[in-house]
Amino acid sequence: MSGPIRHAVDLAVLGAGPAGGAAALAASRAGLSVALIDENPDAGGQVWRKPVRPAARAATAEPGDALRADLAASGITLLYGRTVWSVGASLDLDMIDAESGRWERVSAGRLVAAGGAHERVVPFPGWTLPGVVGLAGATILLKSHGIAPGRRVLVAGCGPLLFAVAAGLAGAGVEVVGVADLAARSDWLRALPDLLTRPGLLGQGACWMTSLKAAGIPIFFRQALRRAEGATEIARAVIGPVDAHGAPAPGPERTFAVDALCVGHGLVPGSDVTRLLRAPHRFDPLRGGLVPVTDEAGRTGISGLYAVGDGAGLRGAAMAALGGELAGLAAAADAGRLAPDAFAREAERLRRAMARERPFSDRMAGMMRLRPAQVQAIAPETVVCRCEDVTRAEIDAACAAGARDVNQMKQFTRCGMGPCQGRLCGDVAAELLAARVGTREAVGAFTARPPLRPIGFDELMGDFDYADIPIPEPAPL
């Protein structure tokens, strides 16, 4: 029997998006040997994803191209297409190579966790129907594959991704029947001073809005999904007015005949690695939920563990790249490869750059934050955990039966026990429980355990055979 393929480096970086890529490059330039690991076939993450088809190429690909070129020219060990299923207390990472199926292990002693974020969808009746797609999922289809999720589509939710997806769909020839935004027009107008600090991104947003207006696509402000309807797949989407807190408000409903619905209510930090290692965390609604406690350079409460990018709190791509660079330099300084005065100079430069980005970053994070009143309006019969078919009523019943934190609720209901490990339902389920218990801090989060991603027993076993089992000699009579 052969064991895992081993890689020994000074620093491992998990996640090759803007934050992880910047951290790996900064640490490598400072003299550390670095391994960069990602489950995707190339670097870029969600925001700078490399198109699979050339026809899917967009203007947003340029920063990703530059990152991929810099990484390819570096001496960094690039481990793409790897599924990391466990991280040990010594910060060793166990992973599966998707191409060969082989088990690999990276030993570093220092780890930058840059796992990014995953999207949030606040459940509504019919959200599990085929044809209902997350905004981030729709973005992957468009950016990477040049594929639209349907021919006649409604886009709904909150945040800037709404308009990016709607404009991308319209540009691909899809009939977009409307955009339903939880925010009011006045919310966007109040955001304008902060958005002006990033004129390039504001201009990009203005282009999206101009293209939607030119295509005659209506935007329904302060409107949210009431339900999706259809027998075996989505056929209709119904929206209605909401108040400033996201709760349903009196007013007429609108029904649209569609074959796809793109919906998203912000992002949730991917903190599974830092939770697995039991680093201290805090709940920050502006940053997307539960985030690891770090210093300005990404150092956590675990020696040698750094957390950066959206996995450490939603801040956007620009802030993620700057924070990743700072964490990479901090890792080099902590390892004694970067002089303290040199680190101080670089850290100050990066702090100034982050201060310039912060107003825009904070405003966009605020537009995507979870609206508790929207969660509390979920109907009792609505499925919250789609992996295990757990409804809102079952979560409420678990609370009534004595569940006071999410792990007790998980034991009572199986909510969060499916293949997604609670990534899709955990944030909303915790919010439902917190409304009855007291606070999000009180209900906590699902305990992270390996495997972090679903893997097969054959991948874990490798070429292990019964003949490899040591059988001791019989004991003497």
Side-chain angles (χ1 to χ4, degrees):
M1 179 185 69
S2 60
I5 299 172
R6 297 178 182 271
H7 308 271
V9 292
D10 297 323
L11 176 70
V13 179
L14 179 54
L25 287 167
S28 177
R29 290 164 181 160
L32 295 184
S33 59
V34 179
L36 178 62
I37 305 138
D38 199 285
E39 62 186 349
N40 291 301
D42 215 327
Q46 167 73 348
V47 68
W48 293 340
R49 181 178 295 272
K50 183 178 181 179
V52 174
R53 295 171 54 194
R57 186 160 207 81
T60 53
E62 278 75 15
D65 288 343
L67 174 64
R68 287 183 281 273
D70 288 343
L71 289 169
S74 71
I76 297 169
T77 300
L78 303 176
L79 301 174
Y80 300 141
R82 266 65 169 189
T83 299
V84 173
W85 60 270
S86 182
V87 182
S90 59
L91 304 184
D92 289 352
L93 292 90
D94 289 312
M95 65 195 73
I96 302 295
D97 182 343
E99 185 173 343
S100 68
R102 289 297 304 272
W103 177 9
E104 296 182 80
R105 174 171 292 168
V106 172
S107 300
R110 298 184 191 277
L111 169 64
V112 174
H118 48 272
E119 66 183 336
R120 176 198 297 122
V121 176
V122 176
F124 52 89
W127 78 295
T128 58
L129 282 170
V132 179
V133 181
L135 292 178
T139 303
I140 293 173
L141 288 174
L142 286 171
K143 280 187 177 182
S144 186
H145 300 278
I147 297 173
R151 297 181 299 275
R152 183 177 167 85
V153 182
L154 176 72
V155 181
C158 62
L161 197 55
L162 268 179
F163 306 105
V165 169
L169 289 171
V174 174
E175 181 184 359
V176 179
V177 298
V179 179
D181 189 355
L182 276 167
R185 193 188 305 269
S186 58
D187 294 331
W188 287 102
L189 291 175
R190 282 193 297 271
L192 194 57
D194 291 330
L195 303 187
L196 285 168
T197 63
R198 288 297 308 275
L201 292 178
L202 178 59
Q204 185 180 58
C207 288
W208 295 335
M209 300 299 286
T210 299
S211 67
L212 295 178
K213 185 175 180 180
I217 298 169
I219 300 174
F220 304 99
F221 290 102
R222 197 153 281 175
Q223 297 269 321
L225 285 161
R226 294 285 172 86
R227 59 192 175 275
E229 300 174 341
T232 58
E233 58 188 23
I234 188 168
R236 293 169 301 279
V238 182
I239 65 172
V242 294
D243 63 19
H245 305 289
E253 294 182 341
R254 292 181 173 88
T255 301
F256 301 89
V258 295
D259 64 356
L261 168 63
C262 298
V263 57
H265 302 109
L267 302 170
V268 180
S271 59
D272 46 358
V273 170
T274 51
R275 287 188 291 113
L276 176 67
L277 295 171
R278 305 297 187 264
H281 287 71
R282 61 187 174 86
F283 180 73
D284 186 341
L286 180 63
R287 297 297 167 213
L290 195 72
V291 295
V293 177
T294 69
D295 68 6
E296 63 179 4
R299 300 181 182 93
T300 71
I302 304 294
S303 178
L305 176 64
Y306 309 78
V308 295
D310 283 349
L314 306 180
R315 291 177 174 85
M319 285 285 277
L322 292 168
E325 184 178 356
L326 182 54
L329 294 173
D334 295 345
R337 303 291 183 85
L338 183 64
D341 57 341
F343 174 69
R345 285 194 303 272
E346 289 300 298
E348 180 57 30
R349 172 183 64 82
L350 292 167
R351 285 190 206 100
R352 289 195 298 268
M354 286 189 280
R356 291 191 294 271
E357 299 287 345
R358 191 163 289 115
F360 184 95
S361 170
D362 287 353
R363 180 63 72 170
M364 288 297 94
M367 299 298 285
M368 293 190 295
R369 69 190 297 169
L370 182 66
R371 292 156 171 81
Q374 184 189 14
V375 176
Q376 296 312 314
I378 296 172
E381 69 277 5
T382 302
V383 169
V384 174
C385 173
R386 60 191 305 167
C387 294
E388 297 291 334
D389 285 331
V390 179
T391 65
R392 159 75 186 273
E394 291 173 293
I395 292 173
D396 289 343
C399 184
R404 288 296 175 267
D405 64 53
V406 294
N407 288 298
Q408 287 179 314
M409 182 268 293
K410 180 179 182 179
Q411 293 167 355
F412 286 14
T413 66
R414 293 190 58 83
C415 179
M417 287 190 180
C420 86
Q421 297 280 283
R423 290 178 184 85
L424 290 178
C425 65
D427 188 52
V428 170
E431 191 69 33
L432 287 169
L433 196 60
R436 300 169 69 99
V437 171
T439 65
R440 286 291 296 267
E441 288 81 0
V443 302
F446 291 141
T447 300
R449 296 185 177 91
L452 294 171
R453 297 290 189 274
I455 54 173
F457 276 113
D458 57 336
E459 294 172 315
L460 282 177
M461 296 289 288
D463 54 5
F464 183 86
D465 189 80
Y466 279 108
D468 296 308
I469 301 176
I471 301 176
E473 293 292 328
L477 296 176

